[in-house]
Amino acid sequence: MSSSLSSNISKQQIKQLPTLEELLQTAKETFRQNFGVEPELACCAPGRVNLIGEHVDYNDGFVLPMALPMVTLIVGGQRVGNDVDLITCCTDVDEPKRVKFRLFSLKPSEKPKWSNYVKGVIHYFMEDHGEMPFGFNAVIVSNVPVGAGLSSSAAIEVATLTFLEHFTGHKLPNDAKRALICKAAEHNFAEMPCGIMDQTISLCGKKDCALLIDCCSLEMFQIPFVAGEKDLVVLICNSDVRHELSDSEYPTRRKQCLQALNIMALKSYRDATDEGNLSALKANHCDEVLLKRARHVITEIKRAQEAAIALKAHDFKKMGELMTKSHMSLRDDFQVSCPELDVLVDAAINCPGVLGSRMTGGGFGGCTVTLVQRNALDNVITAIYENFIKKFNKNAAERIEFYICTPSEGAKKLSL
């Protein structure tokens, strides 16, 4: 493929998302049109990409995500009575896009599904704070892709919680408490047994930093991640694939990890070692699937710690190597990759200028994250495009979207 065509592919498929200012303008106009007044408050929270440490947040491990420039934004204002009137402008959520509910009769797992994230946060916020004296009208907009493994759910939860804190004037004591409220909302209202990572990074992200999170103690450490100093970029590739296995296999993996932990007679994976405990599993003739699950968790926790050390030392070569090893483990031992993600990673790591690549998120579709030299971007995108055509078809390749991202800020109040 010619270099000019390569450049055209890059320009076409590097997704130009609405800016924060454009999102805010859309939200304000929608609010004004539907409620006849100006909104009183605006808050936003970002999605995230996990650089390394996958499927270990619910296993007491270490994770190393960064907040994205992609955000979910909520604007709102007080209304008479105890109702919430909520509108979403997001095009990729289930219908209906407007829902009204009472603050004091919140029920989980209702339709539309997207509203459960908001309801759950309100429920647990009031459980901590007490009943709110009045309801509100609100509009939600977002440029975080849904179903791509970039934590669109955490973004709406954290944006809602940030809005509620400013709306009521009740500040929660710390970010750990905030993250736990959002996690409870996702567990019990959206019925997704997530870990704590997504909500934490959406709350605590910092510009030009990744966040090392100890998912056992909830301690957090900002790790400088200024890839631009080495002319590197973080390239996210959205496969536009979401296999139905993702919802059912997530709780299955959690159960398998716990079973392996019990066989090892340990209380936490933080007490496990790849030499001693995996050998013990083999000696006990442990089921091969459980052995694989435990091996991924134990080695991935170690990789996440080593990655933080590498970033601190500006050793991006080592960071890239760890990212690629992480993908191999997720593919072979945790078995949450899929052919589309494997093609994206294989195409990337075989390109000059790529330091490492891996799937990110729960798996069975979604995105990959790649650490790449900026001057190699066109060639990497072209290679991915061509390999996708060979393995699948041109239509599948044309649905791929790319995002060039830098570590960004966490949740915040916006000026209207």
Side-chain angles (χ1 to χ4, degrees), residues 22-83:
E22 290 169 339
L23 287 176
L24 182 57
Q25 187 62 29
T26 296
K28 289 167 65 175
E29 289 177 358
T30 304
F31 191 92
R32 191 183 305 117
Q33 290 168 4
N34 284 274
F35 301 115
V37 295
E38 295 291 333
E40 303 165 14
L41 176 64
C43 296
C44 71
R48 67 95 185 98
V49 65
N50 191 22
L51 298 170
I52 198 165
E54 214 68 74
H55 284 282
V56 297
D57 57 336
Y58 53 85
N59 286 308
D60 291 341
F62 289 91
V63 293
L64 190 64
M66 72 179 210
L68 294 172
M70 309 166 191
V71 301
T72 293
L73 185 151
I74 179 168
V75 301
Q78 184 176 335
R79 63 174 287 136
V80 176
N82 296 316
D83 291 340

Side-chain angles (χ1 to χ4, degrees), residues 13 384-386 388-389 392-402:
Q13 293 188 267
I384 289 173
Y385 184 86
E386 290 180 334
F388 231 72
I389 290 176
F392 305 106
N393 54 60
K394 186 174 181 181
N395 288 337
E398 289 178 345
R399 289 197 300 270
I400 298 171
E401 293 181 343
F402 296 90

Side-chain angles (χ1 to χ4, degrees), residues 77 111 122 162 210 223 391:
K111 293 185 178 181
I122 294 172
T162 305
I223 310 294
K391 184 68 177 181

Side-chain angles (χ1 to χ4, degrees), residues 300-320:
E300 185 78 349
I301 290 172
K302 183 178 179 181
R303 279 189 290 269
Q305 292 172 286
E306 291 176 350
I309 295 170
L311 280 188
K312 283 182 180 179
H314 299 276
D315 188 349
F316 295 110
K317 181 176 182 292
K318 176 68 172 178
M319 177 69 192

Side-chain angles (χ1 to χ4, degrees), residues 153-215:
S153 57
I156 191 173
E157 292 156 7
V158 173
T160 300
L161 183 64
T162 305
F163 176 87
L164 291 176
E165 285 192 279
H166 288 283
F167 184 65
T168 63
H170 173 68
K171 295 289 185 178
L172 294 163
N174 51 56
D175 286 320
K177 178 67 174 178
R178 294 181 178 97
L180 288 170
I181 283 178
C182 294
K183 176 185 173 184
E186 189 150 346
H187 274 231
N188 301 320
F189 272 71
E191 296 188 330
M192 178 56 69
C194 63
I196 199 73
M197 169 184 65
D198 298 349
Q199 295 83 3
T200 302
I201 182 60
S202 187
L203 284 159
C204 304
K206 186 177 178 182
K207 181 177 170 58
D208 293 330
C209 285
L211 185 68
L212 181 67
I213 306 170
D214 182 336
C215 296

Side-chain angles (χ1 to χ4, degrees), residues 23-293:
L23 287 176
L24 182 57
Q25 187 62 29
T26 296
K28 289 167 65 175
E29 289 177 358
T30 304
F31 191 92
R32 191 183 305 117
Q33 290 168 4
N34 284 274
F35 301 115
V37 295
E38 295 291 333
E40 303 165 14
L41 176 64
C43 296
C44 71
R48 67 95 185 98
V49 65
N50 191 22
L51 298 170
I52 198 165
E54 214 68 74
H55 284 282
V56 297
D57 57 336
Y58 53 85
N59 286 308
D60 291 341
F62 289 91
V63 293
L64 190 64
M66 72 179 210
L68 294 172
M70 309 166 191
V71 301
T72 293
L73 185 151
I74 179 168
V75 301
Q78 184 176 335
R79 63 174 287 136
V80 176
N82 296 316
D83 291 340
V84 172
D85 194 346
L86 189 64
I87 299 170
T88 177
C89 297
C90 302
T91 58
D92 46 5
V93 300
D94 52 313
E95 300 286 353
K97 296 183 182 301
R98 184 168 186 169
V99 62
K100 183 184 286 189
F101 51 88
R102 296 190 66 81
L103 285 170
F104 309 130
S105 58
L106 299 172
K107 298 178 182 179
S109 306
E110 293 187 325
K111 293 185 178 181
K113 292 180 181 179
W114 63 268
S115 67
N116 290 306
Y117 299 105
V118 178
K119 291 177 182 176
V121 172
I122 294 172
H123 172 82
Y124 289 107
F125 179 80
M126 290 196 301
E127 191 174 85
D128 178 87
H129 165 55
E131 293 182 352
M132 293 196 293
F134 37 74
F136 60 88
N137 300 317
V139 170
I140 295 173
V141 297
S142 181
N143 60 9
V144 184
V146 174
L150 300 179
S151 294
S152 59
S153 57
I156 191 173
E157 292 156 7
V158 173
T160 300
L161 183 64
T162 305
F163 176 87
L164 291 176
E165 285 192 279
H166 288 283
F167 184 65
T168 63
H170 173 68
K171 295 289 185 178
L172 294 163
N174 51 56
D175 286 320
K177 178 67 174 178
R178 294 181 178 97
L180 288 170
I181 283 178
C182 294
K183 176 185 173 184
E186 189 150 346
H187 274 231
N188 301 320
F189 272 71
E191 296 188 330
M192 178 56 69
C194 63
I196 199 73
M197 169 184 65
D198 298 349
Q199 295 83 3
T200 302
I201 182 60
S202 187
L203 284 159
C204 304
K206 186 177 178 182
K207 181 177 170 58
D208 293 330
C209 285
L211 185 68
L212 181 67
I213 306 170
D214 182 336
C215 296
C216 181
S217 67
L218 296 186
E219 289 183 283
M220 295 174 282
F221 308 91
Q222 298 287 353
I223 310 294
F225 181 32
V226 190
E229 290 181 351
K230 301 290 185 179
D231 205 27
L232 299 171
V233 297
V234 174
L235 178 68
I236 296 174
C237 180
N238 185 358
S239 68
D240 194 39
V241 170
R242 179 176 169 81
H243 291 292
E244 293 302 319
L245 281 171
S246 57
D247 289 342
S248 61
E249 289 296 320
Y250 187 96
T252 299
R253 292 301 185 280
R254 289 192 67 138
K255 182 179 178 181
Q256 290 168 337
C257 291
L258 181 59
Q259 288 175 319
L261 189 67
N262 290 335
I263 293 172
M264 292 185 290
L266 296 174
K267 292 183 178 180
S268 171
Y269 272 98
R270 292 284 284 277
D271 301 324
T273 63
D274 49 354
E275 298 88 1
N277 296 103
L278 290 177
S279 297
L281 284 176
K282 293 176 183 177
N284 287 331
H285 304 290
C286 175
D287 181 88
E288 181 68 18
V289 171
L290 298 185
L291 175 63
K292 287 183 175 182
R293 304 300 185 255

